Amino acid sequence: MSGREPAPMNAVTPADAELTAAERDRILAKAALFSPPPVTTADGRRDLVGLSREELVQELAALGEKPFRAKQLWHWIYHQGVTDFDRMSSIAAPLRARLAERFVIARPEAATVQTSRDGTRKFLFRFRDAQQVETVYIPDPEEDRGAVCISTQVGCTLSCRFCHTGTQKLVRNLGAAEIVGQFMAARDSYGEWPSPKDDKPRLLSTIVVMGMGEPLYNYENTAKALRIVMDGEGIGLSRRRITLSTSGVVPMMDRCGEELGVNLAVSLHAVTDELRNEIVPLNRKYPIAELLAACRRYPGASNARRITFEYVMLRGINDSEAEARELVRLLHGLPAKVNLIPFNPWPGSPYQTSTYEQTAKFAAILNEAGYSSPIRRPRGRDILAACGQLKTESERERKAAG
């Protein structure tokens, strides 16, 4: 015997780490090809929303102002929610005028706003380059609070077969200002400024990064936006109230856990590689075993902070009792819960929703094995705001023939 202890289960070897780092670099390089436009208006003013604290300090230093001015601005932008420099009463009028000459505090334009019969509200947000995304506020049916479902890309590159968004090709990534701006604009709509402090109830109480796009394919901008949201002197939403959903971009999952530590949701939807390859094509690159190994490594995963596995119930495709038992086997030892999501139809979709009876049988097997498996109540179906229904008419500009 060599005397060397075997590596613990799911540990990353140095060779694996090197491959993962190279793959991360490739993902980030590809993301740069879909970069958002500059954060400046047509008249050359820079948008302050989306800047980090350090960048805000640098912008003010260029005006000859001291760092405490950045702290004041941060408070007015993210705690008070103001968009007009003239309302910043703690800043002298001459400086307010200079700021207004150089900067803006912008929001995405709400091109349309629809409210469902069940209270779900869907925003179609338009950005400076006329590209659009959809954002949804989902009120809790029992309590005076709810979740804002935000998008990270215009379109999507994953082409999951059951998802309407997947039928829209990736147009571009959203910038940090455009991501955090969705939440801020939703707050404008409900009048929830200034940011509630400490344990005061929040109407917009959680963020789910589950809208259009794969957030881990736009990691840098998504992470920057979420750090702004989590800053205690501004919006102040804790990482425990933010859930990021991924289809399984394994190389970025470790980084997300280490740097952000937000709750993780994984779009699983199948228990065999054969089926998942078909309905979640990303599985061909990062198969189920690799995905679950990354979940087991995710920092902070515990019974108190379980990883959520999302499972869209497709009639006759992935909803058998045998598949429920295989899911139990796959999740063994993982602190996990499973959200069973009735398939939400969209025009031209090839699938049908599982019957309630079959979904209940599937849930019973998971519950009996100790995995909480709520059957999600579809919300906003009448305005195509439910899970998997988001899509816009935005298209990537074709390059002119040279």
Side-chain angles (χ1 to χ4, degrees):
M1 291 180 66
S2 67
R4 188 174 64 187
E5 290 187 16
M9 189 170 145
N10 298 316
V12 179
T13 67
D16 286 340
E18 196 172 316
L19 284 172
T20 299
E23 182 69 2
R24 265 201 300 263
D25 290 344
R26 186 193 66 77
I27 289 168
L28 294 172
K30 188 171 182 182
L33 300 176
F34 294 90
S35 290
V39 287
T40 51
T41 61
D43 62 9
R45 290 181 295 166
R46 176 151 196 188
D47 194 347
L48 293 182
V49 175
L51 297 185
S52 67
R53 278 183 177 270
E54 295 75 18
E55 288 169 333
L56 201 50
V57 168
Q58 289 168 12
E59 289 291 337
L60 288 166
L63 291 180
E65 295 294 331
K66 293 182 177 175
F68 81 91
R69 292 295 187 195
K71 189 171 183 177
Q72 287 179 315
L73 272 175
W74 191 273
H75 172 84
W76 284 110
I77 295 169
Y78 296 114
H79 179 67
Q80 298 291 347
V82 306
T83 56
D84 185 349
F85 292 105
D86 279 342
R87 290 186 54 202
M88 299 181 178
S89 55
S90 61
I91 297 175
L95 178 54
R96 294 202 303 262
R98 290 174 69 206
L99 292 171
E101 286 173 7
R102 290 180 177 239
F103 304 112
V104 293
I105 303 164
R107 298 281 195 272
E109 174 198 353
T112 61
V113 181
Q114 296 172 277
T115 303
S116 165
R117 289 189 295 268
D118 62 27
T120 299
R121 187 171 295 180
K122 182 171 78 168
F123 304 86
L124 177 66
F125 285 127
R126 182 179 294 132
F127 302 111
R128 289 191 187 97
D129 62 352
Q131 302 291 5
Q132 302 176 140
V133 299
E134 293 186 324
T135 305
V136 181
Y137 174 67
I138 309 145
D140 188 289
E142 311 294 335
E143 299 180 48
D144 202 16
R145 60 186 174 88
V148 182
C149 178
I150 62 176
S151 297
T152 55
Q153 295 179 309
V154 182
C156 189
T157 189
L158 296 182
S159 304
C160 296
R161 291 283 304 281
F162 52 83
C163 181
H164 198 201
T165 312
T167 65
Q168 179 183 347
K169 290 181 180 178
L170 178 62
V171 178
R172 68 167 175 82
N173 289 328
L174 296 185
E178 295 169 326
I179 296 170
V180 71
Q182 294 169 64
F183 183 73
M184 296 171 79
R187 267 195 159 180
D188 292 346
S189 179
Y190 287 92
E192 193 174 50
W193 297 105
S195 295
K197 281 295 213 180
D198 305 320
D199 295 327
K200 288 183 181 174
R202 292 173 180 248
L203 183 64
L204 281 66
S205 59
T206 55
I207 286 176
V208 289
V209 190
M210 296 181 183
M212 298 173 63
E214 165 55 64
L216 295 187
Y217 274 153
N218 184 23
Y219 179 77
E220 300 283 10
N221 290 309
T222 300
K224 189 176 182 184
L226 293 183
R227 287 190 190 101
I228 290 169
V229 167
M230 293 188 287
D231 188 291
E233 293 183 10
I235 293 170
L237 206 60
S238 87
R239 58 174 46 88
R240 292 177 179 273
R241 296 195 171 275
I242 299 172
T243 300
L244 182 145
S245 176
T246 179
S247 290
V249 185
V250 168
M252 302 305 297
M253 288 169 65
D254 292 323
R255 184 172 172 191
C256 175
E258 290 161 10
E259 295 182 357
L260 300 177
V262 295
N263 299 319
L264 183 69
V266 174
S267 295
L268 189 61
H269 312 305
V271 295
T272 66
D273 283 327
E274 182 182 14
L275 178 58
R276 198 164 188 267
N277 286 347
E278 179 189 334
I279 64 175
V280 184
L282 184 65
N283 195 73
R284 297 168 194 160
K285 188 168 288 189
Y286 309 116
I288 291 173
E290 289 183 28
L291 173 57
L292 292 179
C295 290
R296 293 177 194 280
R297 293 193 300 269
Y298 195 77
S302 64
N303 286 328
R305 291 189 69 198
R306 293 169 291 174
I307 292 174
T308 299
F309 288 88
E310 296 160 325
Y311 200 96
V312 170
M313 299 295 288
L314 304 171
R315 188 185 304 183
I317 302 293
N318 66 352
D319 62 350
S320 72
E321 290 151 80
E323 283 161 309
R325 287 188 284 272
E326 176 61 10
L327 183 54
V328 168
R329 189 191 71 79
L330 287 174
L331 298 183
H332 180 71
L334 251 175
K337 67 176 280 191
V338 181
N339 267 348
L340 298 179
I341 306 169
F343 171 66
N344 295 304
W346 40 269
S349 59
Y351 299 110
Q352 291 181 291
T353 308
S354 298
T355 64
Y356 183 80
E357 292 73 21
Q358 188 60 31
T359 302
K361 288 178 185 176
F362 199 100
I365 291 168
L366 292 168
N367 285 320
E368 207 171 293
Y371 293 103
S372 170
S373 53
I375 300 170
R376 188 185 291 176
R377 182 191 304 178
R379 307 293 299 279
R381 270 184 174 175
D382 55 316
I383 56 170
L384 288 182
C387 180
Q389 292 185 317
L390 305 186
K391 186 182 178 183
T392 73
E393 299 302 316
S394 293
E395 293 184 2
R396 189 164 174 80
E397 289 183 14
R398 292 176 175 82
K399 290 181 180 176

